[in-house]
Amino acid sequence: MHTDTRPSDAQPPTTVRVFKQSFSATHQAARLARLLAVHQLHTWGIPYGSEPSDNTALIVAELAANAVTHGRVPGRDFELRLALDGEGVLRIEVSDARAERRPVPPHLAPPTGTEASGRGLLLVEALADGWGVADREVGKTVWATVRTLNQKSTEARSSSRATDS
């Protein structure tokens, strides 16, 4: 799992856009979560078919499918939350009601060639800049981060802010 480290004097990025939606714990709703996530990114200026949009679609599809398959509690929904910060980092969160069914990092339990499932988190690990699991009052949240701007764009925006000051 990749983790980001920042210098101690750096201020955390400010969240500038948030999308949050609850869905029934069904496979159709997991598909809808993926479609709405990509649509929301498009409204935020991250176009359909771009690498960040495609990566987000795959990550949301996997995390939502896992919430429906492994985190489902009858009568309880799962929640999708997207938060885009001022540095162009998108945090994807999918929350479900089953805290006891936590995903295992793929490097700790790699799938064998005979299993029909168990490869989705390999995709998340490959496509996301980082991912993890957080406890919540009821259940858990599985999160992933995706950079929506390339590093050069981020550096150019940071240097332009520094010269504006």
Side-chain angles (χ1 to χ4, degrees):
M1 182 164 41
H2 174 75
T3 56
D4 229 0
T5 57
R6 300 182 190 279
S8 59
D9 61 343
Q11 291 183 348
T14 304
T15 300
V16 291
R17 295 188 170 119
V18 176
F19 170 82
K20 188 163 104 173
Q21 179 70 47
S22 293
F23 298 90
S24 60
T26 66
H27 291 287
Q28 293 84 1
R31 179 178 182 271
L32 180 59
R34 175 182 56 84
L35 295 171
L36 284 176
V38 172
H39 175 74
Q40 187 61 50
L41 292 185
H42 185 75
T43 65
W44 289 344
I46 302 164
Y48 296 112
S50 66
E51 185 175 332
S53 177
D54 289 348
N55 288 349
T56 297
L58 289 169
I59 291 167
V60 169
E62 178 55 32
L63 297 184
N66 283 352
V68 168
T69 304
H70 306 293
R72 184 175 183 278
V73 172
R76 300 299 297 261
D77 295 340
F78 74 92
E79 180 181 276
L80 169 67
R81 181 178 182 273
L82 305 174
L84 183 63
D85 72 20
E87 300 297 317
V89 176
L90 176 69
R91 183 175 170 100
I92 303 160
E93 298 178 352
V94 175
S95 302
D96 65 51
R98 296 212 45 196
E100 75 278 7
R101 305 258 341 240
R102 297 173 71 85
V104 178
H107 64 276
L108 295 179
T112 66
T114 60
E115 295 171 340
S117 63
R119 291 167 183 79
L121 287 176
L122 287 170
L123 280 173
V124 172
E125 196 165 74
L127 297 173
D129 293 315
W131 75 276
V133 182
D135 292 320
R136 49 186 266 159
E137 193 171 320
V138 175
K140 67 183 172 301
T141 297
V142 183
W143 59 267
T145 56
V146 174
R147 183 167 301 283
T148 63
L149 302 172
N150 65 34
Q151 191 60 35
K152 290 178 186 173
S153 296
T154 303
E155 289 169 3
R157 289 177 62 194
S158 295
S159 67
S160 73
R161 278 192 218 127
T163 57
D164 290 343
S165 308

Short mmCIF file of all heavy atoms in Angstrom, two decimals, residues 82-153:
data_model
loop_
_atom_site.label_atom_id
_atom_site.label_comp_id
_atom_site.label_asym_id
_atom_site.label_seq_id
_atom_site.Cartn_x
_atom_site.Cartn_y
_atom_site.Cartn_z
N LEU A 82 -16.97 11.20 -2.84
CA LEU A 82 -15.84 11.68 -3.62
C LEU A 82 -15.47 13.06 -3.08
O LEU A 82 -16.35 13.90 -2.91
CB LEU A 82 -16.21 11.81 -5.10
CG LEU A 82 -16.77 10.57 -5.79
CD1 LEU A 82 -17.23 10.93 -7.20
CD2 LEU A 82 -15.75 9.46 -5.82
N ALA A 83 -14.20 13.29 -2.82
CA ALA A 83 -13.73 14.60 -2.35
C ALA A 83 -12.51 14.98 -3.17
O ALA A 83 -11.50 14.26 -3.18
CB ALA A 83 -13.40 14.55 -0.87
N LEU A 84 -12.60 16.09 -3.86
CA LEU A 84 -11.51 16.59 -4.69
C LEU A 84 -10.89 17.78 -3.99
O LEU A 84 -11.58 18.75 -3.67
CB LEU A 84 -12.04 17.01 -6.07
CG LEU A 84 -11.02 17.49 -7.09
CD1 LEU A 84 -10.03 16.39 -7.44
CD2 LEU A 84 -11.73 17.99 -8.34
N ASP A 85 -9.57 17.72 -3.74
CA ASP A 85 -8.92 18.83 -3.04
C ASP A 85 -8.33 19.82 -4.03
O ASP A 85 -8.35 19.61 -5.25
CB ASP A 85 -7.90 18.33 -2.02
CG ASP A 85 -6.63 17.76 -2.62
OD1 ASP A 85 -6.30 18.03 -3.79
OD2 ASP A 85 -5.92 17.03 -1.90
N GLY A 86 -7.81 20.91 -3.51
CA GLY A 86 -7.27 21.98 -4.34
C GLY A 86 -6.00 21.62 -5.08
O GLY A 86 -5.58 22.34 -5.99
N GLU A 87 -5.38 20.50 -4.72
CA GLU A 87 -4.17 20.05 -5.40
C GLU A 87 -4.47 19.02 -6.48
O GLU A 87 -3.55 18.44 -7.06
CB GLU A 87 -3.18 19.46 -4.37
CG GLU A 87 -2.74 20.45 -3.32
CD GLU A 87 -1.99 21.64 -3.91
OE1 GLU A 87 -1.14 21.43 -4.79
OE2 GLU A 87 -2.27 22.77 -3.49
N GLY A 88 -5.75 18.74 -6.70
CA GLY A 88 -6.13 17.78 -7.73
C GLY A 88 -6.11 16.34 -7.29
O GLY A 88 -6.10 15.42 -8.10
N VAL A 89 -6.12 16.08 -5.97
CA VAL A 89 -6.16 14.72 -5.46
C VAL A 89 -7.61 14.37 -5.13
O VAL A 89 -8.28 15.08 -4.37
CB VAL A 89 -5.26 14.54 -4.22
CG1 VAL A 89 -5.40 13.13 -3.64
CG2 VAL A 89 -3.81 14.82 -4.59
N LEU A 90 -8.08 13.28 -5.70
CA LEU A 90 -9.44 12.80 -5.47
C LEU A 90 -9.39 11.68 -4.44
O LEU A 90 -8.62 10.72 -4.59
CB LEU A 90 -10.03 12.25 -6.77
CG LEU A 90 -11.42 11.62 -6.67
CD1 LEU A 90 -12.46 12.68 -6.38
CD2 LEU A 90 -11.75 10.87 -7.95
N ARG A 91 -10.19 11.82 -3.41
CA ARG A 91 -10.32 10.75 -2.41
C ARG A 91 -11.66 10.07 -2.67
O ARG A 91 -12.72 10.72 -2.66
CB ARG A 91 -10.25 11.30 -1.00
CG ARG A 91 -10.31 10.19 0.06
CD ARG A 91 -10.10 10.78 1.45
NE ARG A 91 -10.37 9.82 2.49
CZ ARG A 91 -9.43 9.13 3.14
NH1 ARG A 91 -8.16 9.30 2.84
NH2 ARG A 91 -9.77 8.28 4.09
N ILE A 92 -11.61 8.79 -2.90
CA ILE A 92 -12.79 7.96 -3.14
C ILE A 92 -13.04 7.17 -1.87
O ILE A 92 -12.12 6.50 -1.38
CB ILE A 92 -12.53 7.00 -4.32
CG1 ILE A 92 -12.15 7.75 -5.58
CG2 ILE A 92 -13.73 6.07 -4.53
CD1 ILE A 92 -11.45 6.90 -6.62
N GLU A 93 -14.25 7.22 -1.36
CA GLU A 93 -14.59 6.46 -0.16
C GLU A 93 -15.87 5.67 -0.41
O GLU A 93 -16.85 6.22 -0.92
CB GLU A 93 -14.83 7.39 1.04
CG GLU A 93 -13.63 8.19 1.43
CD GLU A 93 -13.91 9.14 2.60
OE1 GLU A 93 -15.09 9.28 3.01
OE2 GLU A 93 -12.95 9.75 3.08
N VAL A 94 -15.83 4.40 -0.07
CA VAL A 94 -17.04 3.56 -0.11
C VAL A 94 -17.20 2.96 1.28
O VAL A 94 -16.29 2.29 1.78
CB VAL A 94 -16.95 2.46 -1.19
CG1 VAL A 94 -18.16 1.55 -1.12
CG2 VAL A 94 -16.83 3.09 -2.57
N SER A 95 -18.34 3.25 1.89
CA SER A 95 -18.61 2.80 3.26
C SER A 95 -19.73 1.78 3.27
O SER A 95 -20.70 1.91 2.52
CB SER A 95 -19.01 3.99 4.14
OG SER A 95 -17.99 4.97 4.14
N ASP A 96 -19.57 0.76 4.12
CA ASP A 96 -20.63 -0.23 4.29
C ASP A 96 -20.80 -0.51 5.77
O ASP A 96 -20.09 0.06 6.60
CB ASP A 96 -20.34 -1.50 3.48
CG ASP A 96 -19.10 -2.25 3.94
OD1 ASP A 96 -18.96 -2.53 5.15
OD2 ASP A 96 -18.25 -2.56 3.09
N ALA A 97 -21.74 -1.37 6.13
CA ALA A 97 -22.13 -1.58 7.52
C ALA A 97 -21.41 -2.75 8.21
O ALA A 97 -21.69 -3.03 9.35
CB ALA A 97 -23.64 -1.80 7.60
N ARG A 98 -20.46 -3.41 7.53
CA ARG A 98 -19.83 -4.59 8.13
C ARG A 98 -18.38 -4.32 8.49
O ARG A 98 -17.48 -4.50 7.67
CB ARG A 98 -19.92 -5.77 7.18
CG ARG A 98 -21.36 -6.14 6.95
CD ARG A 98 -21.70 -7.53 6.71
NE ARG A 98 -21.13 -8.55 7.51
CZ ARG A 98 -21.17 -9.81 7.13
NH1 ARG A 98 -21.72 -10.15 5.99
NH2 ARG A 98 -20.67 -10.74 7.90
N ALA A 99 -18.15 -3.93 9.72
CA ALA A 99 -16.79 -3.63 10.18
C ALA A 99 -15.94 -4.89 10.28
O ALA A 99 -14.72 -4.82 10.10
CB ALA A 99 -16.84 -2.94 11.54
N GLU A 100 -16.56 -6.03 10.54
CA GLU A 100 -15.79 -7.26 10.75
C GLU A 100 -15.26 -7.87 9.44
O GLU A 100 -14.40 -8.73 9.47
CB GLU A 100 -16.62 -8.29 11.53
CG GLU A 100 -17.72 -8.98 10.73
CD GLU A 100 -19.00 -8.18 10.59
OE1 GLU A 100 -19.06 -7.01 11.00
OE2 GLU A 100 -19.97 -8.74 10.06
N ARG A 101 -15.76 -7.43 8.30
CA ARG A 101 -15.31 -7.96 7.01
C ARG A 101 -14.42 -6.94 6.34
O ARG A 101 -14.82 -6.22 5.44
CB ARG A 101 -16.51 -8.29 6.12
CG ARG A 101 -17.52 -9.21 6.72
CD ARG A 101 -17.54 -10.65 6.32
NE ARG A 101 -16.92 -11.11 5.14
CZ ARG A 101 -17.55 -11.73 4.15
NH1 ARG A 101 -18.84 -11.84 4.17
NH2 ARG A 101 -16.88 -12.21 3.15
N ARG A 102 -13.17 -6.85 6.79
CA ARG A 102 -12.22 -5.87 6.28
C ARG A 102 -11.44 -6.49 5.11
O ARG A 102 -11.07 -7.66 5.17
CB ARG A 102 -11.25 -5.45 7.37
CG ARG A 102 -11.96 -4.75 8.52
CD ARG A 102 -11.03 -4.48 9.67
NE ARG A 102 -10.06 -3.43 9.38
CZ ARG A 102 -10.30 -2.14 9.55
NH1 ARG A 102 -11.48 -1.74 9.99
NH2 ARG A 102 -9.38 -1.24 9.29
N PRO A 103 -11.18 -5.70 4.08
CA PRO A 103 -10.40 -6.24 2.96
C PRO A 103 -8.95 -6.50 3.40
O PRO A 103 -8.38 -5.77 4.21
CB PRO A 103 -10.46 -5.13 1.91
CG PRO A 103 -10.79 -3.89 2.65
CD PRO A 103 -11.56 -4.31 3.86
N VAL A 104 -8.40 -7.57 2.84
CA VAL A 104 -7.01 -7.93 3.11
C VAL A 104 -6.16 -7.40 1.97
O VAL A 104 -6.48 -7.64 0.80
CB VAL A 104 -6.87 -9.46 3.23
CG1 VAL A 104 -5.43 -9.87 3.45
CG2 VAL A 104 -7.76 -9.98 4.35
N PRO A 105 -5.08 -6.68 2.27
CA PRO A 105 -4.21 -6.20 1.19
C PRO A 105 -3.75 -7.37 0.32
O PRO A 105 -3.39 -8.44 0.84
CB PRO A 105 -3.04 -5.55 1.92
CG PRO A 105 -3.61 -5.15 3.25
CD PRO A 105 -4.62 -6.22 3.58
N PRO A 106 -3.76 -7.19 -1.01
CA PRO A 106 -3.44 -8.30 -1.92
C PRO A 106 -2.06 -8.92 -1.69
O PRO A 106 -1.88 -10.11 -1.89
CB PRO A 106 -3.52 -7.67 -3.30
CG PRO A 106 -4.30 -6.43 -3.14
CD PRO A 106 -4.13 -5.99 -1.73
N HIS A 107 -1.10 -8.13 -1.24
CA HIS A 107 0.24 -8.70 -1.03
C HIS A 107 0.29 -9.63 0.18
O HIS A 107 1.20 -10.44 0.30
CB HIS A 107 1.30 -7.59 -0.92
CG HIS A 107 1.13 -6.70 0.26
ND1 HIS A 107 0.27 -5.62 0.26
CD2 HIS A 107 1.68 -6.74 1.50
CE1 HIS A 107 0.31 -5.04 1.44
NE2 HIS A 107 1.16 -5.69 2.21
N LEU A 108 -0.70 -9.55 1.08
CA LEU A 108 -0.76 -10.44 2.23
C LEU A 108 -1.51 -11.73 1.94
O LEU A 108 -1.28 -12.73 2.60
CB LEU A 108 -1.43 -9.74 3.42
CG LEU A 108 -0.68 -8.54 3.99
CD1 LEU A 108 -1.46 -7.93 5.15
CD2 LEU A 108 0.72 -8.93 4.43
N ALA A 109 -2.40 -11.70 0.98
CA ALA A 109 -3.18 -12.88 0.61
C ALA A 109 -3.38 -12.90 -0.90
O ALA A 109 -4.49 -12.68 -1.38
CB ALA A 109 -4.51 -12.89 1.33
N PRO A 110 -2.30 -13.15 -1.66
CA PRO A 110 -2.46 -13.14 -3.12
C PRO A 110 -3.40 -14.25 -3.58
O PRO A 110 -3.39 -15.34 -3.02
CB PRO A 110 -1.04 -13.35 -3.64
CG PRO A 110 -0.26 -13.90 -2.49
CD PRO A 110 -0.96 -13.49 -1.24
N PRO A 111 -4.23 -13.95 -4.59
CA PRO A 111 -5.15 -14.98 -5.09
C PRO A 111 -4.39 -16.09 -5.80
O PRO A 111 -3.34 -15.85 -6.39
CB PRO A 111 -6.05 -14.22 -6.06
CG PRO A 111 -5.25 -13.04 -6.47
CD PRO A 111 -4.35 -12.70 -5.32
N THR A 112 -4.93 -17.29 -5.68
CA THR A 112 -4.34 -18.40 -6.42
C THR A 112 -4.97 -18.43 -7.81
O THR A 112 -5.97 -17.76 -8.06
CB THR A 112 -4.60 -19.74 -5.70
OG1 THR A 112 -6.01 -19.99 -5.71
CG2 THR A 112 -4.09 -19.71 -4.27
N GLY A 113 -4.44 -19.21 -8.68
CA GLY A 113 -4.97 -19.29 -10.04
C GLY A 113 -6.32 -19.95 -10.15
O GLY A 113 -6.99 -19.84 -11.17
N THR A 114 -6.77 -20.63 -9.10
CA THR A 114 -8.03 -21.37 -9.17
C THR A 114 -9.23 -20.60 -8.61
O THR A 114 -10.35 -21.02 -8.79
CB THR A 114 -7.91 -22.70 -8.41
OG1 THR A 114 -7.59 -22.42 -7.04
CG2 THR A 114 -6.82 -23.59 -9.01
N GLU A 115 -8.99 -19.48 -7.92
CA GLU A 115 -10.09 -18.73 -7.32
C GLU A 115 -10.82 -17.90 -8.37
O GLU A 115 -10.20 -17.33 -9.26
CB GLU A 115 -9.57 -17.82 -6.21
CG GLU A 115 -9.02 -18.61 -5.04
CD GLU A 115 -8.30 -17.73 -4.04
OE1 GLU A 115 -7.90 -16.61 -4.41
OE2 GLU A 115 -8.13 -18.17 -2.90
N ALA A 116 -12.14 -17.83 -8.24
CA ALA A 116 -12.95 -17.07 -9.19
C ALA A 116 -12.98 -15.59 -8.86
O ALA A 116 -13.40 -14.78 -9.68
CB ALA A 116 -14.37 -17.63 -9.23
N SER A 117 -12.57 -15.23 -7.66
CA SER A 117 -12.59 -13.82 -7.27
C SER A 117 -11.33 -13.52 -6.47
O SER A 117 -10.48 -14.38 -6.29
CB SER A 117 -13.84 -13.52 -6.43
OG SER A 117 -13.80 -14.27 -5.23
N GLY A 118 -11.22 -12.28 -6.00
CA GLY A 118 -10.10 -11.93 -5.15
C GLY A 118 -9.01 -11.12 -5.82
O GLY A 118 -7.95 -10.91 -5.26
N ARG A 119 -9.28 -10.64 -7.03
CA ARG A 119 -8.26 -9.87 -7.75
C ARG A 119 -8.57 -8.37 -7.83
O ARG A 119 -7.76 -7.59 -8.29
CB ARG A 119 -8.09 -10.44 -9.15
CG ARG A 119 -7.45 -11.81 -9.13
CD ARG A 119 -7.55 -12.51 -10.48
NE ARG A 119 -7.00 -13.85 -10.40
CZ ARG A 119 -7.62 -14.90 -9.90
NH1 ARG A 119 -8.82 -14.77 -9.38
NH2 ARG A 119 -7.05 -16.08 -9.88
N GLY A 120 -9.72 -7.97 -7.37
CA GLY A 120 -10.14 -6.58 -7.50
C GLY A 120 -9.26 -5.60 -6.76
O GLY A 120 -8.95 -4.53 -7.27
N LEU A 121 -8.83 -5.96 -5.56
CA LEU A 121 -7.97 -5.04 -4.82
C LEU A 121 -6.58 -4.94 -5.44
O LEU A 121 -5.88 -3.95 -5.21
CB LEU A 121 -7.89 -5.45 -3.34
CG LEU A 121 -9.16 -5.15 -2.55
CD1 LEU A 121 -9.04 -5.66 -1.12
CD2 LEU A 121 -9.49 -3.67 -2.57
N LEU A 122 -6.19 -5.93 -6.23
CA LEU A 122 -4.95 -5.79 -7.00
C LEU A 122 -5.08 -4.62 -7.98
O LEU A 122 -4.15 -3.85 -8.17
CB LEU A 122 -4.63 -7.08 -7.77
CG LEU A 122 -4.14 -8.26 -6.94
CD1 LEU A 122 -4.10 -9.52 -7.80
CD2 LEU A 122 -2.77 -7.96 -6.36
N LEU A 123 -6.26 -4.49 -8.59
CA LEU A 123 -6.53 -3.36 -9.49
C LEU A 123 -6.50 -2.04 -8.72
O LEU A 123 -5.89 -1.07 -9.16
CB LEU A 123 -7.90 -3.50 -10.15
CG LEU A 123 -8.02 -4.42 -11.34
CD1 LEU A 123 -9.48 -4.55 -11.75
CD2 LEU A 123 -7.21 -3.90 -12.49
N VAL A 124 -7.16 -2.01 -7.58
CA VAL A 124 -7.19 -0.79 -6.77
C VAL A 124 -5.77 -0.40 -6.39
O VAL A 124 -5.37 0.76 -6.53
CB VAL A 124 -8.07 -0.98 -5.51
CG1 VAL A 124 -7.95 0.21 -4.57
CG2 VAL A 124 -9.53 -1.19 -5.92
N GLU A 125 -4.99 -1.37 -5.93
CA GLU A 125 -3.61 -1.10 -5.53
C GLU A 125 -2.78 -0.58 -6.70
O GLU A 125 -1.93 0.29 -6.55
CB GLU A 125 -2.99 -2.35 -4.93
CG GLU A 125 -1.72 -2.08 -4.15
CD GLU A 125 -1.35 -3.26 -3.28
OE1 GLU A 125 -0.87 -4.28 -3.84
OE2 GLU A 125 -1.53 -3.16 -2.06
N ALA A 126 -3.03 -1.10 -7.90
CA ALA A 126 -2.26 -0.69 -9.08
C ALA A 126 -2.67 0.69 -9.59
O ALA A 126 -1.83 1.45 -10.07
CB ALA A 126 -2.43 -1.73 -10.19
N LEU A 127 -3.95 1.04 -9.48
CA LEU A 127 -4.45 2.27 -10.07
C LEU A 127 -4.45 3.46 -9.12
O LEU A 127 -4.38 4.61 -9.57
CB LEU A 127 -5.88 2.06 -10.59
CG LEU A 127 -6.03 1.04 -11.71
CD1 LEU A 127 -7.50 0.80 -12.01
CD2 LEU A 127 -5.28 1.48 -12.94
N ALA A 128 -4.54 3.21 -7.83
CA ALA A 128 -4.64 4.29 -6.84
C ALA A 128 -3.24 4.71 -6.38
O ALA A 128 -2.30 3.91 -6.39
CB ALA A 128 -5.47 3.83 -5.65
N ASP A 129 -3.14 5.97 -5.95
CA ASP A 129 -1.89 6.44 -5.35
C ASP A 129 -1.76 5.90 -3.93
O ASP A 129 -0.65 5.79 -3.40
CB ASP A 129 -1.86 7.97 -5.33
CG ASP A 129 -1.78 8.54 -6.72
OD1 ASP A 129 -0.98 8.02 -7.51
OD2 ASP A 129 -2.51 9.49 -7.02
N GLY A 130 -2.86 5.56 -3.31
CA GLY A 130 -2.89 4.97 -1.98
C GLY A 130 -4.28 4.47 -1.69
O GLY A 130 -5.24 4.88 -2.33
N TRP A 131 -4.41 3.53 -0.76
CA TRP A 131 -5.72 3.05 -0.36
C TRP A 131 -5.63 2.48 1.04
O TRP A 131 -4.53 2.19 1.53
CB TRP A 131 -6.30 2.03 -1.35
CG TRP A 131 -5.69 0.66 -1.27
CD1 TRP A 131 -4.55 0.23 -1.87
CD2 TRP A 131 -6.20 -0.45 -0.53
NE1 TRP A 131 -4.31 -1.08 -1.55
CE2 TRP A 131 -5.32 -1.53 -0.74
CE3 TRP A 131 -7.31 -0.65 0.27
CZ2 TRP A 131 -5.51 -2.79 -0.16
CZ3 TRP A 131 -7.51 -1.89 0.84
CH2 TRP A 131 -6.61 -2.95 0.61
N GLY A 132 -6.76 2.36 1.70
CA GLY A 132 -6.77 1.80 3.04
C GLY A 132 -8.19 1.63 3.55
O GLY A 132 -9.16 1.79 2.81
N VAL A 133 -8.28 1.31 4.82
CA VAL A 133 -9.57 1.06 5.47
C VAL A 133 -9.62 1.88 6.75
O VAL A 133 -8.64 1.95 7.49
CB VAL A 133 -9.73 -0.44 5.82
CG1 VAL A 133 -11.08 -0.71 6.47
CG2 VAL A 133 -9.54 -1.31 4.60
N ALA A 134 -10.74 2.51 6.99
CA ALA A 134 -10.95 3.29 8.22
C ALA A 134 -12.22 2.81 8.91
O ALA A 134 -13.21 2.50 8.25
CB ALA A 134 -11.06 4.78 7.90
N ASP A 135 -12.17 2.74 10.23
CA ASP A 135 -13.36 2.40 11.00
C ASP A 135 -14.31 3.59 11.02
O ASP A 135 -13.88 4.73 10.88
CB ASP A 135 -12.98 2.05 12.44
CG ASP A 135 -12.19 0.77 12.52
OD1 ASP A 135 -12.51 -0.19 11.79
OD2 ASP A 135 -11.24 0.72 13.32
N ARG A 136 -15.56 3.30 11.18
CA ARG A 136 -16.56 4.35 11.40
C ARG A 136 -17.52 3.86 12.45
O ARG A 136 -17.43 2.72 12.89
CB ARG A 136 -17.26 4.75 10.10
CG ARG A 136 -17.76 3.60 9.26
CD ARG A 136 -18.31 4.04 7.94
NE ARG A 136 -19.75 4.22 8.04
CZ ARG A 136 -20.46 4.95 7.22
NH1 ARG A 136 -19.88 5.59 6.25
NH2 ARG A 136 -21.76 5.06 7.36
N GLU A 137 -18.43 4.71 12.88
CA GLU A 137 -19.32 4.34 13.98
C GLU A 137 -20.04 3.02 13.70
O GLU A 137 -20.11 2.15 14.55
CB GLU A 137 -20.34 5.46 14.22
CG GLU A 137 -21.07 5.30 15.52
CD GLU A 137 -21.90 6.53 15.84
OE1 GLU A 137 -21.44 7.65 15.60
OE2 GLU A 137 -23.02 6.34 16.33
N VAL A 138 -20.57 2.88 12.51
CA VAL A 138 -21.18 1.62 12.08
C VAL A 138 -20.47 1.21 10.79
O VAL A 138 -20.55 1.90 9.79
CB VAL A 138 -22.70 1.78 11.81
CG1 VAL A 138 -23.28 0.50 11.25
CG2 VAL A 138 -23.42 2.19 13.08
N GLY A 139 -19.76 0.11 10.84
CA GLY A 139 -19.11 -0.41 9.64
C GLY A 139 -17.71 0.12 9.41
O GLY A 139 -16.98 0.42 10.35
N LYS A 140 -17.38 0.25 8.13
CA LYS A 140 -16.03 0.67 7.73
C LYS A 140 -16.11 1.48 6.45
O LYS A 140 -17.10 1.46 5.74
CB LYS A 140 -15.15 -0.55 7.50
CG LYS A 140 -15.60 -1.37 6.28
CD LYS A 140 -14.78 -2.59 6.08
CE LYS A 140 -15.31 -3.50 5.01
NZ LYS A 140 -16.65 -4.00 5.18
N THR A 141 -15.03 2.18 6.17
CA THR A 141 -14.87 2.92 4.93
C THR A 141 -13.60 2.43 4.26
O THR A 141 -12.53 2.42 4.89
CB THR A 141 -14.77 4.43 5.18
OG1 THR A 141 -15.99 4.87 5.77
CG2 THR A 141 -14.52 5.19 3.89
N VAL A 142 -13.71 2.01 3.02
CA VAL A 142 -12.53 1.68 2.22
C VAL A 142 -12.31 2.88 1.32
O VAL A 142 -13.23 3.34 0.65
CB VAL A 142 -12.73 0.39 1.40
CG1 VAL A 142 -11.46 0.04 0.63
CG2 VAL A 142 -13.13 -0.77 2.31
N TRP A 143 -11.08 3.42 1.33
CA TRP A 143 -10.79 4.64 0.59
C TRP A 143 -9.61 4.41 -0.36
O TRP A 143 -8.80 3.50 -0.17
CB TRP A 143 -10.50 5.79 1.54
CG TRP A 143 -9.33 5.53 2.46
CD1 TRP A 143 -9.38 5.00 3.72
CD2 TRP A 143 -7.94 5.74 2.17
NE1 TRP A 143 -8.11 4.88 4.23
CE2 TRP A 143 -7.21 5.33 3.30
CE3 TRP A 143 -7.25 6.24 1.06
CZ2 TRP A 143 -5.82 5.39 3.36
CZ3 TRP A 143 -5.87 6.30 1.12
CH2 TRP A 143 -5.17 5.88 2.26
N ALA A 144 -9.56 5.25 -1.37
CA ALA A 144 -8.44 5.26 -2.31
C ALA A 144 -8.24 6.69 -2.77
O ALA A 144 -9.19 7.48 -2.79
CB ALA A 144 -8.72 4.35 -3.50
N THR A 145 -7.02 7.03 -3.13
CA THR A 145 -6.75 8.37 -3.67
C THR A 145 -6.21 8.24 -5.08
O THR A 145 -5.49 7.30 -5.41
CB THR A 145 -5.73 9.15 -2.80
OG1 THR A 145 -4.53 8.38 -2.68
CG2 THR A 145 -6.30 9.45 -1.43
N VAL A 146 -6.61 9.21 -5.91
CA VAL A 146 -6.20 9.26 -7.31
C VAL A 146 -5.81 10.69 -7.63
O VAL A 146 -6.57 11.62 -7.33
CB VAL A 146 -7.35 8.81 -8.25
CG1 VAL A 146 -6.99 8.99 -9.72
CG2 VAL A 146 -7.76 7.38 -7.97
N ARG A 147 -4.68 10.88 -8.23
CA ARG A 147 -4.25 12.22 -8.65
C ARG A 147 -4.94 12.52 -9.99
O ARG A 147 -4.84 11.75 -10.92
CB ARG A 147 -2.73 12.28 -8.81
CG ARG A 147 -2.24 13.66 -9.16
CD ARG A 147 -0.75 13.79 -9.01
NE ARG A 147 -0.27 13.52 -7.66
CZ ARG A 147 -0.37 14.36 -6.64
NH1 ARG A 147 -0.94 15.53 -6.81
NH2 ARG A 147 0.10 14.05 -5.46
N THR A 148 -5.67 13.65 -10.04
CA THR A 148 -6.39 14.01 -11.26
C THR A 148 -5.61 14.97 -12.14
O THR A 148 -5.98 15.19 -13.28
CB THR A 148 -7.76 14.63 -10.93
OG1 THR A 148 -7.55 15.84 -10.20
CG2 THR A 148 -8.61 13.67 -10.13
N LEU A 149 -4.56 15.57 -11.58
CA LEU A 149 -3.68 16.44 -12.35
C LEU A 149 -2.32 15.77 -12.43
O LEU A 149 -1.90 15.13 -11.48
CB LEU A 149 -3.51 17.81 -11.66
CG LEU A 149 -4.77 18.61 -11.40
CD1 LEU A 149 -4.43 19.83 -10.54
CD2 LEU A 149 -5.36 19.07 -12.71
N ASN A 150 -1.62 15.98 -13.55
CA ASN A 150 -0.27 15.42 -13.59
C ASN A 150 0.63 16.26 -12.69
O ASN A 150 0.32 17.38 -12.34
CB ASN A 150 0.26 15.30 -15.02
CG ASN A 150 0.45 16.64 -15.70
OD1 ASN A 150 0.79 17.62 -15.08
ND2 ASN A 150 0.23 16.66 -17.00
N GLN A 151 1.77 15.71 -12.32
CA GLN A 151 2.67 16.37 -11.36
C GLN A 151 3.12 17.73 -11.87
O GLN A 151 3.22 18.68 -11.13
CB GLN A 151 3.88 15.48 -11.07
CG GLN A 151 4.72 15.96 -9.91
CD GLN A 151 3.94 16.03 -8.60
OE1 GLN A 151 3.08 15.22 -8.32
NE2 GLN A 151 4.24 17.03 -7.79
N LYS A 152 3.38 17.87 -13.18
CA LYS A 152 3.83 19.15 -13.72
C LYS A 152 2.75 20.22 -13.56
O LYS A 152 3.05 21.36 -13.21
CB LYS A 152 4.21 19.00 -15.20
CG LYS A 152 5.48 18.21 -15.39
CD LYS A 152 5.80 18.05 -16.85
CE LYS A 152 6.99 17.13 -17.02
NZ LYS A 152 7.26 16.80 -18.40
N SER A 153 1.49 19.86 -13.77
CA SER A 153 0.40 20.81 -13.60
C SER A 153 0.29 21.25 -12.15
O SER A 153 0.09 22.42 -11.85
CB SER A 153 -0.94 20.20 -14.03
OG SER A 153 -0.93 19.92 -15.40
#
